[in-house]
Amino acid sequence: MNTSAGSTLVFDAVGMVYPDGTEALEDISFTVSPGEFVTVVGPSGCGKSTLLKLASGLLTHTSGSLTVDRDRIGYVFQDATLLPWRTVQKNVELLAELHAIDPAERTRRAKEAIDLVDLTGFEGHHPKRLSGGMKMRVSLARSLTLDPSVFLFDEPFGALDEITRERLNDEVLDLFSLKRFAGLFITHSIYEAIYMSTRVLVMSARPGRVIAEFDVPFGFPRDEHFRFSPEFAELSGEVSEALRMSYA
Amino acid sequence: MTDTQRPVDAPSSTPHPVPSEVTATSAVFYPAGGTFGQKLRLLVGPLAVFGSVIGVWYLLSWRYLAPLLGRDGGADAAERLRNTLLPYPHDIVQESFLNGENLAELLGGLWLDIKLSFLGLAIAAVIGITGAVAMSQAKWIERSFYPYAVFVQTVPILALVPLIGLFFGFGFGARLLVVVIISLFPIITNTLFGLRSADRGLHDIFTLHGASRWTRFVKLQLPASIPAMMTGFQISAGLSVIGAIVGDFFFGRGERGLGNLIQFYVNRLQPEQLWGALAFSTLLGLFVFVMFGWLRTRLTAAWYEGSET
């Protein structure tokens, strides 16, 4: 386990069988260190979300071993999951509130996070009056208040239009460059997977196993040029090929 | 990100309130924004219907019922009542509302029913919310009590009222009991539904960050339950008025509520006042319904996706 020394997130031969007997994950091994951004692609129902639930502690794995630094964990879901009766400001303060951080500090952190996701001026709005993209940014800001060392993303931008999704990808990468957290990001999109990550994992159909792993050896910041470069296209082809195999 | 301001999908710097889609009904009950002229236009439909109904009423009274009366002046009491079922609206106003003595009698009845329904509703709210909260926190409490809540709801109130009279007499307390029984169930079910309505993902967030049961209740389940709880109140408010009047009507003795008065006017062949009593009880029901609708809008319109305005 020398390779995982200093890693914030270590999956070692992790398996997960649900109480009803469904085998969701089998023999999953990988690590994510601070400053790494790992994306996971795979067929629907392959247990990608289960992976994050295990990492966060919402579920407990049934075999293997799992080490996560859960003191400061960020978790962004498919939906923004905001409290509809709270304003943007109060929603962003929620996690600090649950961690009993004092009100002055809470407010300060929320202001800073809201500023980081470019929502300054919308503090007093209720989620009802925000677009889908803005809600996701409130959700991001909420996690940022804990200054996460591990940041989990469960297909956060799947429901958004492409332009909004690409802009939010850039925002997350900016945050990543700034905070150097250990990122684990689930997605359906090969392009999103490559654009965002330092490493792409491809999973098989249920029970989910990691069947391929690709390094993405390109630096940050990334931009449109990267998205349309030959190297990007080539890597997309390889990941796509592996993903096709996973469906077989 | 700090140095590049990306205007992503953010609207312009001056956010506009969401335009409110207002139906005619909700505009009458809960007048929203708009110029005076717009509001007036929304009232045209309901007013036209009201005018037509009054017109038909006059026509029926004048064309059919009045001649019957005139032709057969010596009819017996029952027939006279039948013939005067539809007195002229202005006679109703004259007899019920402009005659001081009759008005005092009706207002006395109305006041008793207001006290009954409001107090009964308040008691039902306390019991109902407490019950729903207890059921939401422990499955065994729900399993033990919920069937009896359904039982109380399904037992015919008309059968129950005489029993209550026998056991508890015909006073204020017994009538209050009728009101509480009739208005309890919608508050329990709607509040329970509301407490359970919080998004699964939100529960996960509270779990993830180690929220206590109390924190989860106060910061998540309770606020999430407000819209449904208010709907329960609105339904129960209407029922509480019915409960008060049904109680009066069947007890038929003791202090006079509108229910007693209705029976009294039927027996005394006073159709004008009978209609007056009906009008007052309807208005009371309408008033509490609108009041709770307003309260619900007031509490939830700013944030609830399903709210009317």
Side-chain angles (χ1 to χ4, degrees):
Chain A
M1 284 286 85
N2 287 333
T3 49
S4 61
S7 295
T8 321
L9 186 62
V10 183
F11 277 71
D12 185 18
V14 168
M16 173 69 194
V17 181
Y18 280 102
D20 67 1
T22 313
E23 201 176 359
L25 296 173
E26 189 183 88
D27 193 24
I28 302 274
S29 295
F30 67 91
T31 64
V32 187
S33 306
E36 276 194 304
F37 202 108
V38 174
T39 53
V40 181
V41 289
S44 309
C46 73
K48 300 189 295 281
S49 294
T50 304
L51 210 60
L52 294 193
K53 286 187 181 143
L54 293 179
S56 67
L58 278 178
L59 287 176
T60 309
H61 58 287
T62 49
S63 61
S65 84
L66 175 56
T67 320
V68 190
D69 173 15
R70 289 199 188 115
D71 287 344
R72 295 177 290 130
I73 198 160
Y75 197 161
V76 177
F77 299 103
Q78 274 163 297
D79 303 313
T81 55
L82 305 176
L83 298 171
W85 51 88
R86 287 193 176 206
T87 59
V88 168
Q89 173 78 25
K90 288 289 171 191
N91 261 296
V92 175
E93 285 183 18
L94 177 70
L95 301 190
E97 217 174 295
L98 294 179
H99 286 265
I101 290 165
D102 75 84
E105 172 66 6
R106 200 192 291 165
T107 311
R108 193 193 64 74
R109 288 192 193 187
K111 281 252 178 293
E112 191 182 294
I114 288 170
D115 188 48
L116 271 175
V117 298
D118 285 342
L119 278 178
T120 306
F122 292 92
E123 290 89 345
H125 282 52
H126 284 93
K128 185 184 175 182
R129 288 171 60 191
L130 303 179
S131 68
M134 291 166 84
K135 284 183 202 168
M136 282 317 302
R137 283 145 85 212
V138 178
S139 193
L140 275 176
R142 181 175 61 191
S143 286
L144 286 174
T145 56
L146 294 184
D147 190 19
S149 55
V150 178
F151 215 141
L152 310 171
F153 301 86
D154 190 359
E155 289 181 47
F157 311 135
L160 304 175
D161 66 89
E162 199 166 343
I163 300 294
T164 308
R165 172 197 275 230
E166 284 176 4
R167 283 177 170 163
L168 281 167
N169 285 163
D170 285 335
E171 295 207 5
V172 170
L173 285 188
D174 284 345
L175 292 171
F176 174 65
S177 302
L178 198 68
K179 308 276 189 186
R180 308 304 290 175
F181 47 75
L184 184 57
F185 191 105
I186 307 291
T187 176
H188 269 306
S189 158
I190 293 166
Y191 309 103
E192 188 174 56
I194 295 170
Y195 187 74
M196 301 291 284
S197 69
T198 56
R199 195 145 39 98
V200 181
L201 304 181
V202 180
M203 283 176 68
S204 69
R206 174 169 289 175
R209 282 165 294 116
V210 178
I211 55 165
E213 201 171 328
F214 298 89
D215 277 319
V216 186
F218 304 99
F220 296 91
R222 294 171 179 177
D223 58 19
E224 290 305 293
H225 295 297
F226 175 56
R227 219 188 277 277
F228 294 110
S229 67
E231 295 86 352
F232 188 94
E234 194 185 333
L235 198 50
S236 302
E238 286 172 28
V239 173
S240 180
E241 178 67 29
L243 193 57
R244 238 196 310 282
M245 304 262 292
S246 77
Y247 275 90
Chain B
M1 168 144 6
T2 38
D3 52 352
T4 51
Q5 289 286 323
R6 288 197 198 80
V8 185
D9 51 342
S12 58
S13 56
T14 50
H16 296 287
V18 174
S20 48
E21 298 264 337
V22 184
T23 61
T25 332
S26 66
V28 172
F29 288 154
Y30 322 104
T35 67
F36 183 69
Q38 280 169 331
K39 284 181 189 170
L40 211 60
R41 253 200 300 282
L42 289 171
L43 282 174
V44 167
L47 284 178
V49 172
F50 183 74
S52 309
V53 169
I54 296 292
V56 170
W57 185 325
Y58 266 108
L59 190 72
L60 287 173
S61 308
W62 167 71
R63 185 72 183 79
Y64 298 105
L65 298 173
L68 276 178
L69 252 189
R71 198 170 55 219
D72 195 359
D76 67 17
E79 196 165 339
R80 205 180 99 76
L81 176 67
R82 192 172 67 234
N83 291 344
T84 52
L85 277 178
L86 271 185
Y88 288 125
H90 63 259
D91 283 340
I92 295 172
V93 173
Q94 179 68 39
E95 279 299 304
S96 304
F97 307 136
L98 300 180
N99 177 321
E101 207 177 306
N102 293 346
L103 181 65
E105 193 172 54
L106 282 171
L107 286 178
L110 179 66
W111 176 235
L112 178 68
D113 288 334
I114 288 175
K115 283 188 291 187
L116 274 174
S117 57
F118 277 63
L119 194 58
L121 189 63
I123 294 172
V126 171
I127 299 175
I129 292 172
T130 310
V133 168
M135 288 185 206
S136 76
Q137 296 298 311
K139 201 75 190 165
W140 66 268
I141 297 181
E142 186 189 352
R143 267 202 303 275
S144 311
F145 286 95
Y146 195 77
Y148 299 102
V150 177
F151 176 75
V152 168
Q153 169 70 8
T154 47
V155 66
I157 195 76
L158 297 186
L160 212 53
V161 170
L163 279 177
I164 290 171
L166 281 174
F167 282 113
F168 302 101
F170 304 98
F172 192 80
R175 296 182 196 196
L176 202 56
L177 186 58
V178 176
V179 176
V180 172
I181 288 174
I182 205 172
S183 43
L184 192 56
F185 191 70
I187 295 179
I188 294 181
T189 43
N190 282 284
T191 306
L192 189 57
F193 171 81
L195 289 167
R196 297 230 168 98
S197 69
D199 186 271
R200 182 68 207 269
L202 284 169
H203 274 290
D204 282 348
I205 286 171
F206 278 73
T207 307
L208 216 50
H209 296 277
S212 65
R213 177 180 276 238
W214 174 249
T215 304
R216 188 187 298 266
F217 174 68
V218 173
K219 297 196 173 180
L220 178 58
Q221 292 167 302
L222 196 60
S225 76
I226 300 288
M229 192 194 290
M230 293 315 291
T231 302
F233 277 154
Q234 205 176 7
I235 297 168
S236 290
L239 288 174
S240 72
V241 173
I242 294 176
I245 289 167
V246 166
D248 295 341
F249 187 86
F250 278 89
F251 289 167
R253 61 189 92 165
E255 215 182 330
R256 277 205 181 124
L258 288 174
N260 303 84
L261 289 174
I262 286 171
Q263 208 171 43
F264 182 67
Y265 296 140
V266 168
N267 294 339
R268 294 266 301 271
L269 303 182
Q270 292 172 319
E272 290 86 1
Q273 281 143 281
L274 175 60
W275 280 96
L278 275 177
F280 270 129
S281 45
T282 309
L283 284 176
L284 177 56
L286 191 63
F287 172 73
V288 292
F289 183 83
V290 171
M291 193 181 77
F292 277 96
W294 174 84
L295 190 62
R296 189 187 58 187
T297 308
R298 196 62 211 267
L299 288 176
T300 64
W303 59 267
Y304 187 52
E305 304 270 1
S307 75
E308 298 205 31
T309 48

